[in-house]
Amino acid sequence: METIQGSRAQIVTQLLVRIGKLRKDPAARLLIGIAGCPGAGKTTLTHLLLDALPEAGWVPMDGFHFSDAVLADKGLLERKGAPETFDTGGYFSALSRLKQGGEDVYVPSFDRDLEQPLAAGIKISSTCKTIISEGNYLLLPRPEWARVRELFDEVWFVDTPQELRISRLVNRHMRYGKTPQFAREWVQEVDQTNAALIEAATGRADLVIPFD
């Protein structure tokens, strides 16, 4: 497991070089996973890479979250964000289609204002050479997530100081309408519980990226 260092710009440059080296077959499609704890900056790093890779496509794992209605039916609404609250089968199927290539694929996005997935919210063109998918559980060693991990050419782990992550998460929950008390309690009781699972799987990453 490797680690890289540097400013955000330096990190992005190093990752672009790495992607170039991974692309041994110019015609083949490359799937890169970006994992990390809630609030680590996975989406921020992903968009920095997408800005530098005009031929790349984005598949957010959050798009495969079960809706609140489904979570309520399963009795999981209070655990929203935990590994079992995602449609791992749908995620696996979408990534498998993307791995094969040859056609446009529509994948769900996630609306932060609604806190709900949106079906077919993102188009991945058949011409995309690099697919980046970011999410919390790409390295989780549970069978349903392990088979997802196998689809990626590499999975990188975004490592961010805990205090910074927690501050970001509390502010994020408040920005989307939660009270400060609710935000702090949710982060400690739900987000941090999930973070412990995620951090335990760091050793399964191909690369660790310190990012703040």
Side-chain angles (χ1 to χ4, degrees), residues 29 96-98 100-106 124-128:
R29 175 171 273 175
S96 296
R97 289 177 64 195
L98 289 168
Q100 294 171 4
E103 62 177 347
D104 293 344
V105 177
Y106 291 84
I124 308 296
S125 171
S126 61
T127 61
C128 284

Side-chain angles (χ1 to χ4, degrees), residues 103-122:
E103 62 177 347
D104 293 344
V105 177
Y106 291 84
V107 299
S109 59
F110 189 82
D111 189 304
R112 287 285 178 188
D113 291 315
L114 299 174
E115 292 191 345
Q116 296 297 302
L118 299 178
I122 299 173

Side-chain angles (χ1 to χ4, degrees), residues 61-74:
M61 188 199 80
D62 278 351
F64 295 88
H65 217 304
F66 289 127
S67 69
D68 283 0
V70 171
L71 292 176
D73 185 60
K74 289 177 171 286

Side-chain angles (χ1 to χ4, degrees), residues 47 58 127 202:
H47 283 291
W58 176 42
T127 61
T202 305

Side-chain angles (χ1 to χ4, degrees), residues 145-184:
W145 290 101
R147 69 173 188 157
V148 168
R149 168 70 175 89
E150 292 174 359
L151 293 173
F152 291 104
D153 294 276
E154 285 198 347
V155 177
W156 306 335
F157 184 84
V158 179
D159 187 20
T160 304
Q162 179 173 286
E163 288 186 6
L164 178 57
R165 286 196 304 97
I166 289 175
S167 174
R168 286 176 179 169
L169 288 168
V170 171
N171 289 333
R172 178 193 296 173
H173 289 308
M174 290 170 59
R175 191 164 62 249
Y176 290 106
K178 305 298 190 297
T179 65
Q181 180 178 349
F182 181 94
R184 287 191 294 269

Side-chain angles (χ1 to χ4, degrees), residues 4 27 54 68 79 90 92-93 117 125 154 183:
I4 60 173
D68 283 0
R79 290 185 48 73
F92 177 82
S93 295
S125 171
E154 285 198 347

Side-chain angles (χ1 to χ4, degrees), residues 5-68:
Q5 302 283 346
S7 66
R8 286 190 175 188
Q10 290 169 332
I11 285 171
V12 169
T13 298
Q14 292 176 70
L15 294 178
L16 293 174
V17 171
R18 191 179 184 93
I19 287 172
K21 291 179 178 179
L22 287 170
R23 193 182 301 287
K24 296 179 176 64
D25 179 0
R29 175 171 273 175
L30 195 67
L31 264 65
I32 299 294
I34 298 181
C37 297
K42 301 180 296 295
T43 304
T44 298
L45 177 59
T46 296
H47 283 291
L48 288 172
L49 290 170
L50 292 172
D51 288 343
L53 291 167
E55 86 289 358
W58 176 42
V59 182
M61 188 199 80
D62 278 351
F64 295 88
H65 217 304
F66 289 127
S67 69
D68 283 0

